[in-house]
Amino acid sequence: MNPSPAIVILGPSALAGARRIQALYPQAEIHGLQGRVADVERTYDDFGDNLRALYRAGTPLIALCAAGIVIRSLAAVLGEKGSEPPVLAVAEDGSAVVPLLGGLGGVNRMAREIAAHLQVNAAITTSGELRFGTCLLEPPAGYVLADIEQGKGFVSDLLGGQAVRIEGDAPWLAQAKLPVTDDAARVIHISPHSRAVNSDELLIHPQQVAVWVERAGTELLSELHQALQSSGLAQQSLACLLAAPTLMATAELHAAAAQLKLPLRFIDDAQQLPPLHSQHANLRLLLAAAPIDPTQLGRPRGRLTVIGLGPGAAEFMLPAARQALDEAQDLLGYETYINMAGPLRPEQVRHCTDNREEMQRARHAFELAASGRRVVVVSSGDPGVFAMAAAVLEALHESTDAEWQRVELQVFPGVSAARATAAKAGAPLGHDFCLISLSDNLKPWAIIEKRLEHAAAADLVMAFYNPISKARPWQLGSALDIIRQQRSPETLVVLGRDIGRPGETLRTLTLGELTPDMVDMRTLVIIGSSQTCRFPRADGGEWVYTPRSYPQP
Ligand code: SAH
């Protein structure tokens, strides 16, 4: 499967065309020239640099501009690598689709897809494909060419006038315009078996073999290779690995699937398995009559990813979190955060809940993931800071459900509000600090008081989360009373409100000046230590930081 394409445009006149293509590839991002195009997913400064970087990364490229510009831009990097991504030029009004590079990466298929979507013809120039109406070297999903280099010579021979016969079942070749005769010397073999290929043959493996793994140890891969060898089946004919759900969390199984680049599916009912071909020590080879679509067999291992969005702005979200969001089938979280997690696709299911129903949300997430879905639980900032990661772990810890234990659970960090606010102000958390939630919803106020006393006595910088709310109006005032007993009125305070979101404000003041009415539930409060200091910035604001060294006694 190719990675998502990048749709690259130069000016606003190409944006409408780009959006039409994006409707075909919803995962594709539109790249626009900085300062010229607004409202696109990505901007770049230099067209050529951007195009070359994407090409090198193997990203399929759809450029809505003159083919010549694309060719000139990529000229310097062509030939750098053996395999290349599809590269297409599309007229910005959608009237022409020109596949340029990536013949073996499926560029003609993409060109035809885009052309059909735009209701024009694709400018296909590949002779084999024009002549035969199919690219023999790029068989459809479920079929794999055994040897591409050998295949190139074979296609040249057919173009040179050689006839061909087909042995095996190749339904897609029925419509092709191949020079077929029964006594031809050239043969296209469609077979799950491995065989030595000579130059007058084209060997295509249908992926109709599945491996049922009964026991997975470190020897799994070598056992599988032996099984294939003794049974005569080709590795390229493998469609997937299958196992019982009890093996779902077995590392060796996942390692083998990753190594073989095969999907791994779990089946409760062995009745559903394709017919047995051969039994081996810890595994069975199963051979279906036609290519296997693994998505129709059993279910995958479910995945639950707990992510943090960061403070708000998209560029402060971790790429891994963005990827998890893009891959998610279900999203759970407080509605405001789910809305911040976009762009999402319509088929991604949003389970919006109230901010207070955290345990219920965590359990719901496990139920969905245990059924094989890819689930993301969304927090703001960092999911491990007064947020969903601990709730999810608590739900798992309490549960005795084996299906929940087998879910692939991962926690991805994010930029927490204290870090985002501190970075705006300079470096107030540059020395030892602590993070305290002033909410007494989940812990007694007496504990909070004790922690504040000790943190203040230890001269730690403090960051307060959940500082105040309608239901908790007096707590911040009491907290400040405790701190003022140990810290001078000149102590610096930073207030960050809606950091990284529209209308963000940052304010520096002193502990003497601070009153609770300056703070609301969207504010992060940093109380400096005795060492926290400030100085003017050239633009009129000021920098706040806590030095890394502390005075020796
Ligand atoms: N997991 C989040 C914190 C959730 S607790 C994180 O790591 O940031 C919610 C509190 O975080 C709010 O009451 C506020 O004090 C703070 N907060 C969250 N986002 C903020 C932002 N963008 N700007 C300022 N404070 C924020």
Side-chain angles (χ1 to χ4, degrees):
M1 203 32 218
N2 272 328
S4 305
I7 303 171
V8 188
I9 61 175
L10 279 162
S13 54
L15 189 55
R19 291 275 179 233
R20 283 173 73 194
I21 297 175
Q22 198 178 34
L24 181 63
Y25 305 114
Q27 303 272 42
E29 290 181 317
I30 299 179
H31 295 232
L33 182 59
Q34 174 79 44
R36 264 225 257 165
V37 197
D39 293 332
V40 290
E41 289 80 50
R42 304 252 172 185
T43 56
Y44 59 83
D45 293 323
D46 183 280
F47 180 81
D49 287 347
N50 185 48
L51 220 57
R52 286 185 289 274
L54 290 165
Y55 176 87
R56 283 207 187 93
T59 311
L61 287 172
I62 304 167
L64 277 90
C65 62
I69 303 179
V70 182
I71 293 168
R72 243 179 258 288
S73 303
L74 291 179
V77 289
L78 296 183
E80 257 183 18
K81 53 193 285 186
S83 69
E84 60 187 355
V87 178
L88 301 101
V90 177
E92 67 170 38
D93 64 358
S95 62
V97 180
V98 189
L100 293 172
L101 297 165
L104 298 177
V107 75
N108 286 340
R109 186 177 35 76
M110 272 181 82
R112 274 202 225 91
E113 275 168 16
I114 297 171
H117 181 69
L118 301 176
Q119 297 180 315
V120 295
N121 282 326
I124 305 286
T125 54
T126 316
S127 25
E129 196 155 340
L130 289 173
R131 181 93 70 83
F132 308 134
T134 181
C135 179
L136 280 180
L137 302 183
E138 207 206 327
Y143 296 86
V144 180
L145 190 64
D147 180 345
I148 188 102
E149 285 310 317
Q150 191 266 344
K152 286 180 188 172
F154 186 87
V155 171
S156 311
D157 289 349
L158 296 200
L159 284 170
Q162 294 286 343
V164 68
R165 63 196 158 86
I166 297 170
E167 282 196 2
D169 204 12
W172 80 99
L173 290 182
Q175 290 102 40
K177 292 166 278 178
L178 289 170
V180 180
T181 61
D182 287 346
D183 56 352
R186 316 280 142 157
V187 194
I188 300 175
H189 280 288
I190 318 291
S191 162
H193 292 95
S194 56
R195 56 183 289 150
V197 192
N198 54 42
S199 63
D200 53 13
E201 292 180 334
L202 185 73
L203 178 58
I204 295 175
H205 294 302
Q207 296 179 299
Q208 56 195 68
V209 182
V211 185
W212 172 258
V213 180
E214 273 156 20
R215 237 177 46 88
T218 48
E219 303 296 300
L220 178 57
L221 269 183
S222 60
E223 286 173 8
L224 174 57
H225 284 128
Q226 269 172 21
L228 288 170
Q229 195 134 40
S230 69
S231 65
L233 292 168
Q235 188 181 323
Q236 285 153 306
S237 303
L238 295 181
C240 57
L241 300 187
L242 304 171
T246 46
L247 296 189
M248 207 176 255
T250 309
E252 290 84 359
L253 191 55
H254 289 277
Q259 178 93 30
L260 297 164
K261 297 197 175 71
L262 287 178
L264 176 55
R265 310 282 300 187
F266 297 91
I267 296 193
D268 299 276
D269 178 6
Q271 303 286 319
Q272 291 180 2
L273 293 178
L276 179 67
H277 177 271
S278 50
Q279 173 79 51
H280 305 265
N282 292 315
L283 50 89
R284 282 184 235 165
L285 293 180
L286 312 171
L287 181 62
I292 294 171
D293 177 358
T295 63
Q296 299 303 311
L297 271 180
R299 60 191 154 115
R301 182 186 191 190
R303 189 173 80 186
L304 200 176
T305 312
V306 190
I307 65 148
L309 299 173
E315 62 268 31
F316 286 113
M317 186 196 302
L318 244 64
R322 180 72 259 163
Q323 191 180 338
L325 285 171
D326 292 343
E327 292 170 0
Q329 295 171 304
D330 295 275
L331 297 110
L332 294 92
Y334 180 42
E335 185 164 10
T336 315
Y337 301 151
I338 301 238
N339 291 337
M340 275 168 58
L344 300 174
R345 298 184 304 282
E347 74 272 19
Q348 294 183 293
V349 187
R350 291 148 226 223
H351 308 266
C352 298
T353 48
D354 189 273
N355 214 5
R356 288 174 293 261
E357 297 163 4
E358 293 184 342
M359 288 310 293
Q360 206 178 311
R361 187 189 300 156
R363 287 190 282 264
H364 186 195
F366 272 109
E367 270 155 26
L368 289 165
S371 75
R373 313 233 343 141
R374 288 189 302 277
V375 181
V376 166
V377 171
V378 179
S379 285
S380 78
D382 183 289
V385 177
F386 311 123
M388 283 307 295
V392 163
L393 286 166
E394 198 177 326
L396 182 61
H397 195 184
E398 279 174 358
S399 159
T400 52
D401 189 331
E403 298 265 349
W404 288 24
Q405 314 287 334
R406 292 182 204 131
V407 162
E408 181 186 2
L409 173 63
Q410 38 191 12
V411 181
F412 290 168
V415 177
S416 191
R419 312 282 349 157
T421 302
K424 281 275 165 200
L429 308 182
H431 194 81
D432 300 346
F433 64 91
C434 61
L435 310 181
I436 300 179
S437 168
L438 293 192
S439 167
D440 53 356
N441 288 342
L442 299 170
K443 60 187 168 185
W445 179 251
I447 286 288
I448 301 177
E449 281 185 329
K450 194 180 206 173
R451 289 180 181 173
L452 291 169
E453 275 161 27
H454 285 278
D459 202 20
L460 287 169
V461 176
M462 288 174 245
F464 295 156
Y465 287 73
N466 304 310
I468 200 162
S469 75
K470 282 203 194 75
R472 296 180 287 104
W474 53 264
Q475 283 84 339
L476 177 60
S478 298
L480 295 179
D481 291 343
I482 293 169
I483 292 162
R484 286 190 176 113
Q485 288 169 19
Q486 318 220 37
R487 262 184 227 181
S488 82
E490 287 76 47
T491 304
L492 289 179
V493 170
V494 175
L495 302 179
R497 183 172 192 274
D498 279 341
I499 294 298
R501 300 179 191 173
E504 113 179 354
T505 58
L506 183 80
R507 185 166 169 195
T508 308
L509 64 168
T510 64
L511 186 56
E513 291 161 347
L514 177 64
T515 54
D517 61 299
M518 299 170 177
V519 175
D520 67 6
M521 64 184 292
R522 282 146 69 179
T523 309
L524 186 285
V525 181
I526 297 177
I527 311 281
S529 73
S530 64
Q531 304 301 304
T532 306
C533 57
R534 62 177 157 182
F535 63 93
R537 324 170 22 145
D539 64 8
E542 54 190 359
W543 289 115
V544 180
Y545 74 103
T546 306
R548 293 161 65 206
S549 58
Y550 201 81
Q552 302 286 342

